[in-house]
Amino acid sequence: MSLWEYANPKKFLTTSERVLPYVWAVSLACIAVGLVWGFFFTPDDYRQGSTVKIIYLHVPAALMAINGWLMMLVASLIWVVRRHHVSALAARAAAPVGATMTVIALVTGAIWGQPMWGTWWAWDPRLTSFLILFLFYLGYMALWEAIDNPDTAADLTSVLCLVGSVFAILSRYAVNFWNQGLHQGASVMRAAAITGSDTEEKVSNVFFVPLMVCIVGFVLLFIALVLYRTGTEIRSRRIRALMARERAGA
Amino acid sequence: MRALLVRDLKLAFRAGGGFGLGLAFFLIVTVLVPFSVGPQSDLLSTIAPGVLWLGALLACLLSLDRLLALDWEDGTLDLLATAPLPLEAAVSVKALAHWLTTGLPLVLAAPVLGVLLSLPGPGYLWLVVSLALGTPALSVVGTFGAALTVGLKRGGLLLSLLVLPLYVPTLIFGAEVARRGAAGMELATPLLMLAGITLGTAALLPFASAAVLRVNLR
Amino acid sequence: MMLRVQDLAIARGGLPVLDNLSFALEPGQALILRGPNGIGKTTLLRTLAGLQPPLHGLIEGADERVAYAAHSDGLKPTLTVTENLQFWARIFGAGTIDAALEAYDLHGLAERPAGSLSAGQKRRLGLARLLVTGRPIWILDEPTVSLDTSAVAMFAGAVRDHLKRGGSALIATHIDLGLDAEVLDLAPFRATLPALDDFDGAFT
């Protein structure tokens, strides 16, 4: 059986409806376990105290913010190459989820930053990049909303997603460069590095395992939301098509 | 291709073409800045490169929705799409015409406005260089945004929402060149990055613009 | 070389409108499209001009050989009649514009800005554009809108000359142009929507 069979809307709906309850259950269980474990059963960080525990929300949300965009990019490419409607609709369904993850990452980042850096917002390269990513999500969703014809909308948003990805990467490098140029003091940068890729090295296993549980939970949550929303998009698309038929007098 | 360029320039210079509107906008924004931040010349001279870059960027943005919309309304785009000239070439020429009528005047006007914001002496050269290198990228990226939104009734606001995030890298490197130039610092890296962005977008984005334009013409 | 259409199906707004359409257009031949409003004449002409893809089917001999004219003529109000025509002549790489000005009696208006012309004069200018493209196949969507009788005669004459030179024309119109042309009624090719029991059938 080929993977492309799931590009058939009906097949997609029946399969996703069968799978969804399990994905929901496992995802919520993982998040609950990870958060409780992380919040109440790990020691405070020697330097940051209990504020470090927001990492269990912040890092998974940030990961899904980026991976959400990646998923949209892949889905857009599949639409451009193979013209599967489900793929285009999945990209559309993922955008608000990804945007919400970006907002969660930004807000938790600000809440974490307040006690650590003494300010809610610093133009730290990483935070700035997420803010720009959020703008990309906004533009992408606005373009989907603005266009009537669903095929036209799918084509245009796919190209925007492709071009946007290139510019998002460019912006990432530009922002890194820009902040270096502005602030000579590296104290903020060092504090920001806690949120970054070297987190895993700095954070000992005590923090690491519950963090991984949370990440798995967020990945599954993202999948569940996108599957669910894609189903909704497919149905609304079908209603549109049926209404168009009715107007055409069939 | 030359015919299209000549026509677009003629249209811009004739009555009602809107030539000079961007320039006037640039002037007004620059004049408003001291009113909002205060007249201290040391503060103004610090922010001058950034303000001038932002003003030029917004002036560019302002004229984007006319870039393709007029040709869309009167059917020219339909006819161009059936013409022997590839649509990729047509959008490149339109971007070039936009730069010649909007970007280039901004580049030339920027030093004059720099005086108003007490831009430091060494900054003038690099302000002009950075704008001359960076504004073509603004026109090319803007053409892509205009092509995306050309069929929409209220495309203007959406166009800004789509294009502004795409302007981020150009703005960062362009303003960085101008700022470092004004401060007399080393600026080879941002200058190269800025040139790279302009060349890269000019080479690749017309394909994306033509693709979305074809979709919009369907 | 002739224009050949085989088993063509086209859609408008995601709904199929015409199906199983086949016809051929020989050099020197004109074909008049008839059919009620909404049958898909404009969609068909746009598809043949290459502006939108067909659902399925074959179109042969249309590539780079079609001059398309629809409701709007791409005229710039601030450019003169000559400048407007010259622009399109250069874009299509064809010769001079004198013959086109002559055919539609535009010499007297040559230096007027297109914005100051009447609707009928604009339309004549738009049709004159066809002559400067040098393309053999004319695809025309309601070309006689806002033309008076003498202008319609000019147009019919221009089409006749075009056919004599070995060109061909596909025209959607409701009036009689007095051309020796075949008529293609589109009503029998109206697409039937696929049955509803198939989920995918109502999806596109």
Side-chain angles (χ1 to χ4, degrees):
Chain A
M1 192 172 74
S2 149
L3 183 66
W4 298 117
E5 274 188 32
Y6 294 100
N8 172 303
K10 192 172 188 171
K11 177 90 181 152
F12 177 88
L13 278 182
T14 47
T15 313
S16 68
E17 268 161 21
R18 201 147 11 100
V19 176
L20 256 176
Y22 303 104
V23 183
W24 279 120
V26 178
S27 127
L28 294 179
C30 277
I31 293 175
V33 168
L35 287 185
V36 171
W37 185 352
F39 283 159
F40 301 111
F41 299 97
T42 54
D44 287 354
D45 184 76
Y46 72 96
R47 205 154 51 90
Q48 302 192 35
S50 60
T51 51
V52 75
K53 292 184 173 177
I54 205 165
I55 199 172
Y56 299 110
L57 280 174
H58 181 74
V59 170
L63 270 177
M64 289 328 290
I66 296 172
N67 288 328
W69 185 273
L70 276 180
M71 181 243 135
M72 277 159 52
L73 177 62
V74 172
S76 299
L77 282 172
I78 293 175
W79 161 253
V80 170
V81 176
R82 296 198 57 134
R83 316 289 298 173
H84 292 311
H85 291 278
V86 171
S87 181
L89 293 178
R92 176 178 193 173
V97 184
T100 312
M101 292 292 178
T102 315
V103 171
I104 295 177
L106 283 172
V107 170
T108 53
I111 293 172
W112 192 2
Q114 217 289 324
M116 290 314 302
W117 312 335
T119 169
W120 294 102
W121 182 261
W123 287 95
D124 159 73
R126 217 177 281 272
L127 287 183
T128 312
S129 301
F130 271 92
L131 194 59
I132 296 171
L133 181 64
F134 181 63
L135 297 181
F136 276 103
Y137 271 120
L138 275 189
Y140 179 88
M141 290 188 289
L143 189 60
W144 261 112
E145 290 306 317
I147 301 165
D148 263 347
N149 185 319
D151 279 4
T152 307
D155 281 334
L156 296 184
T157 52
S158 297
V159 179
L160 178 67
C161 187
L162 252 72
V163 173
S165 303
V166 176
F167 276 85
I169 294 168
L170 265 180
S171 306
R172 178 88 180 89
Y173 283 104
V175 163
N176 267 337
F177 178 81
W178 158 79
N179 198 319
Q180 247 179 33
L182 255 186
H183 301 260
Q184 262 77 37
S187 55
V188 176
M189 304 279 290
R190 233 190 336 263
I194 303 279
T195 60
S197 51
D198 43 353
T199 312
E200 279 78 13
E201 289 132 43
K202 286 194 174 172
V203 180
S204 63
N205 274 338
V206 190
F207 301 110
F208 185 66
V209 177
L211 180 60
M212 283 314 288
V213 176
C214 273
I215 289 176
V216 170
F218 264 73
V219 170
L220 290 174
L221 178 68
F222 180 84
I223 292 173
L225 284 168
V226 170
L227 284 179
Y228 186 73
R229 289 182 47 84
T230 309
T232 314
E233 293 289 349
I234 290 175
R235 289 197 177 87
S236 98
R237 177 74 192 272
R238 183 159 198 246
I239 290 171
R240 278 183 64 115
L242 287 173
M243 281 163 70
R245 279 174 80 104
E246 212 166 81
R247 275 197 300 276
Chain B
M1 281 173 81
R2 184 165 342 129
L4 184 58
L5 182 63
V6 169
R7 187 199 69 142
D8 271 16
L9 295 181
K10 262 187 199 163
L11 286 174
F13 288 116
R14 297 238 166 126
F19 176 75
L21 275 182
L23 210 53
F25 178 83
F26 190 26
L27 171 71
I28 289 173
V29 167
T30 314
V31 170
L32 288 183
V33 168
F35 296 151
S36 64
V37 303
Q40 304 88 335
S41 65
D42 52 337
L43 173 62
L44 287 177
S45 74
T46 321
I47 62 170
V51 165
L52 291 172
W53 247 93
L54 190 63
L57 184 145
L58 292 176
C60 250
L61 186 73
L62 193 71
S63 52
L64 285 179
D65 63 335
R66 292 170 60 95
L67 182 63
L68 293 171
L70 295 180
D71 280 345
W72 162 271
E73 281 159 19
D74 64 18
T76 305
L77 283 179
D78 276 349
L79 303 177
L80 274 179
T82 60
L85 185 70
L87 214 48
E88 285 81 1
V91 291
S92 304
V93 170
K94 301 224 59 124
L96 176 62
H98 178 260
W99 182 71
L100 287 175
T101 54
T102 312
L104 190 58
L106 295 177
V107 175
L108 299 178
V112 182
L113 300 179
V115 175
L116 291 178
L117 296 179
S118 20
L119 185 71
Y124 287 92
L125 171 66
W126 293 111
L127 178 70
V128 172
V129 168
S130 67
L131 281 173
L133 261 178
T135 44
L138 300 183
S139 289
V140 175
V141 174
T143 309
F144 172 66
L148 269 177
T149 54
V150 72
L152 299 171
K153 266 158 239 112
R154 289 179 307 280
L157 209 58
L158 181 64
L159 175 62
S160 313
L161 183 61
L162 296 179
V163 165
L164 282 176
L166 300 179
Y167 275 175
V168 168
T170 314
L171 175 63
I172 287 180
F173 287 120
E176 187 75 21
V177 170
R179 197 162 47 225
R180 289 188 177 196
M185 286 156 65
E186 191 271 335
L187 44 68
T189 316
L191 195 64
L192 285 175
M193 290 302 291
L194 184 64
I197 288 174
T198 299
L199 293 176
T201 50
L204 298 175
L205 258 189
F207 293 98
S209 309
V212 293
L213 203 51
R214 279 197 194 95
V215 171
N216 267 327
L217 285 175
R218 283 205 300 242
Chain C
M1 198 174 131
M2 64 180 181
L3 172 73
R4 234 155 52 94
V5 170
Q6 224 170 11
D7 281 332
L8 189 71
I10 54 171
R12 181 186 52 219
L15 280 180
V17 283
L18 290 173
D19 204 355
N20 293 323
L21 180 65
S22 300
F23 66 86
L25 189 61
E26 310 270 355
Q29 188 194 3
L31 195 60
I32 308 281
L33 292 183
R34 288 275 156 81
N37 285 338
I39 184 93
K41 292 190 290 288
T42 298
T43 314
L44 172 63
L45 295 180
R46 286 182 70 85
T47 308
L48 293 176
L51 287 170
Q52 62 180 64
L55 277 181
H56 56 79
L58 262 183
I59 301 171
E60 277 177 0
D63 223 23
E64 297 279 293
R65 298 174 69 238
V66 165
Y68 172 72
H71 312 288
S72 40
D73 292 310
L75 302 177
K76 291 298 172 188
T78 48
L79 297 185
T80 65
V81 168
T82 318
E83 283 170 329
N84 267 305
L85 269 185
Q86 239 155 17
F87 166 66
W88 289 112
R90 287 203 190 113
I91 287 287
F92 281 86
T96 56
I97 61 167
D98 274 339
L101 289 174
E102 187 67 47
Y104 286 94
D105 193 20
L106 290 166
H107 271 300
L109 305 168
E111 294 310 317
R112 290 259 299 272
S116 72
L117 301 181
S118 75
Q121 287 167 332
K122 275 184 193 154
R123 192 69 220 180
R124 264 152 65 196
L125 174 53
L127 292 169
R129 180 179 54 80
L130 293 168
L131 288 168
V132 305
T133 59
R135 292 266 173 103
I137 304 172
W138 288 2
I139 290 190
L140 311 176
D141 196 355
E142 299 290 354
T144 54
V145 171
S146 60
L147 289 185
D148 59 18
T149 22
S150 72
V152 169
M154 276 181 220
F155 167 66
V159 173
R160 241 176 255 122
D161 287 345
H162 179 63
L163 298 179
K164 239 179 259 158
R165 286 193 303 269
S168 52
L170 188 61
I171 308 171
T173 182
H174 288 97
I175 67 162
D176 184 20
L177 292 169
L179 289 172
D180 179 24
E182 278 178 52
V183 171
L184 176 67
D185 188 5
L186 289 177
F189 302 102
R190 192 195 287 273
T192 46
L193 295 169
L196 250 189
D197 49 318
D198 177 13
F199 187 92
D200 297 336
F203 195 65
T204 45

